[in-house]
Amino acid sequence: MTHRISIIGAPMDLGADRRGVDMGPSAIRYAGVKKRLEMIGYEVEDKGDLKVATRESESIVYPNLKYLKQIVDVNRALAIVVEQEVNKGRFPLILGGDHSIAIGTIAGMAKRKKDLGVIWFDAHGDLNTAETTPSGNVHGMSLAVSLGIGHPDLTGIGGLDPKIKPEHVVIIGARELDRGEKELIKRIGLKVFTMHEIDRLGMPRVMEEALSIVGKGTDGMHLSLDLDGLDPHDAPGVGTPVIGGITYRESHLAMEMIAEANILSSAEFVEVNPILDIQNKTAKVAVALMSSAFGDKLL
């Protein structure tokens, strides 16, 4: 892992119904992410925020793909910035925003990493399409899109389709999956560690297996961490909370094991919603988890 980090803000809220995640990057910055990473030895440059249209200035054309054009535009821009930073030998750290921004992050990384491994840390699968979505929200489609499944305007971002392979992807912490997502998981053979597996096997074994999957035959690993993967008790400020999630300590252990594996090449932390938070608690959790993923230790 390079010791030069580029922070990229993606204040997107068009991919979800609930307002507030567009303020996530600001909340994470306010929680001291730059200073925290510099304290553990990284050279950090904050590239600022991408420009995102407001929903007040736009209209919904496709009810099953809300704000499609605007989301495509932002993710195209994000893919370009991510690729540029990687070309400079820097680590792209993206601050969300809703989880639809993963489309752009992975598209940018796929231009430099032909066999990218992905750990998707999330309560949800984000594997819906326009045909299966119950909401029309693109943040519930981002992993499917990255796998080449979905609307061509989304899957074609960055010029590569698909961006990643199912055998290189692991979902951790799932506990709310739609019917269409379950069918897709079975059809493509995607590895999913639900909360049942985490409870039964324990986080150490889950992470050992996950890292062996994303590290086999790959040339890098992307971490896509949705804060709703954690239990709402530890991360209350998220747009789509689901009770019974991963604990704060389990999450830190997962990040520490990722750091020890030394294969992380990009990361995004998404869905922090300050409107629903308590004294910026969730943004502080995000910063703490980033610190562990980048190798911070007590001793």
Side-chain angles (χ1 to χ4, degrees):
M1 186 190 298
T2 177
H3 271 66
R4 301 164 66 214
I5 297 173
S6 292
I7 293 175
I8 304 162
M12 175 88 81
D13 76 340
L14 300 175
D17 279 337
R18 187 171 283 179
R19 306 298 301 273
V21 291
D22 56 321
M23 295 183 282
S26 294
I28 294 171
R29 289 185 175 103
Y30 186 72
V33 59
K34 187 174 186 288
K35 182 178 179 180
R36 182 73 172 263
L37 295 176
E38 288 174 338
M39 285 177 62
I40 58 175
Y42 288 87
E43 182 260 292
V44 184
E45 180 182 358
D46 193 332
K47 308 293 291 187
D49 288 344
L50 297 174
K51 185 177 180 180
V52 181
T54 63
R55 61 179 70 204
E56 286 79 13
S57 65
E58 306 294 333
S59 59
I60 295 174
V61 178
Y62 307 105
N64 284 357
L65 289 162
K66 295 175 182 176
Y67 302 106
L68 174 63
K69 180 186 181 299
Q70 296 81 4
I71 290 172
V72 168
D73 289 345
V74 173
N75 277 294
R76 281 177 177 162
L78 178 56
I80 291 169
V81 174
V82 167
E83 184 185 5
Q84 288 174 342
E85 294 309 304
V86 175
N87 287 340
K88 296 175 187 176
R90 303 186 67 89
F91 184 106
L93 173 61
I94 295 82
L95 313 181
D98 69 63
H99 216 160
S100 68
I101 67 166
I103 297 170
T105 305
I106 293 175
M109 290 303 299
K111 298 294 286 290
R112 291 301 307 272
K113 305 290 183 180
K114 302 305 179 185
D115 291 292
L116 184 67
V118 175
I119 286 184
W120 199 268
F121 193 98
D122 201 329
H124 309 90
D126 296 345
L127 289 163
N128 274 302
T129 64
E131 292 71 36
T132 65
T133 176
S135 66
N137 294 327
V138 177
H139 76 156
M141 307 178 190
S142 44
L143 182 52
V145 167
S146 299
L147 289 162
I149 303 165
H151 194 283
D153 286 0
L154 293 168
T155 61
I157 291 171
L160 298 172
D161 183 12
K163 312 297 188 300
I164 52 177
K165 302 171 184 176
E167 60 267 30
H168 294 158
V169 178
V170 177
I171 297 174
I172 297 175
R175 53 194 184 277
E176 188 172 77
L177 298 169
D178 297 316
R179 180 178 177 180
E181 293 180 304
K182 294 176 183 178
E183 293 173 354
L184 180 58
I185 287 167
K186 292 176 182 177
R187 177 161 62 85
I188 66 177
L190 197 66
K191 184 62 178 178
V192 181
F193 290 101
T194 67
M195 288 308 302
H196 171 80
E197 281 76 37
I198 293 173
D199 290 340
R200 188 166 184 172
L201 302 175
M203 185 59 82
R205 183 173 164 187
V206 165
M207 288 306 301
E208 286 171 1
E209 293 189 24
L211 289 166
S212 70
I213 292 170
V214 300
K216 185 178 181 180
T218 57
D219 53 3
M221 191 201 91
H222 174 64
L223 170 65
S224 192
L225 191 147
D226 188 324
L227 270 296
D228 73 22
L230 278 74
D231 191 86
H233 177 268
D234 296 312
V238 297
T240 50
V242 185
I243 61 171
I246 301 171
T247 68
Y248 179 78
R249 187 54 245 165
E250 286 173 330
S251 301
H252 268 291
L253 177 59
M255 297 303 104
E256 290 159 359
M257 292 181 71
I258 286 173
E260 290 169 0
N262 198 31
I263 58 173
L264 191 62
S265 51
S266 55
E268 63 206 347
F269 287 72
V270 303
E271 300 282 357
V272 173
N273 191 327
I275 291 176
L276 304 174
D277 210 0
I278 302 168
Q279 298 179 337
N280 215 29
K281 179 178 180 178
T282 305
K284 292 175 184 176
V285 168
V287 171
L289 294 179
M290 289 178 203
S291 183
S292 288
F294 282 101
D296 194 11
K297 294 181 179 180
L298 288 175
L299 294 174

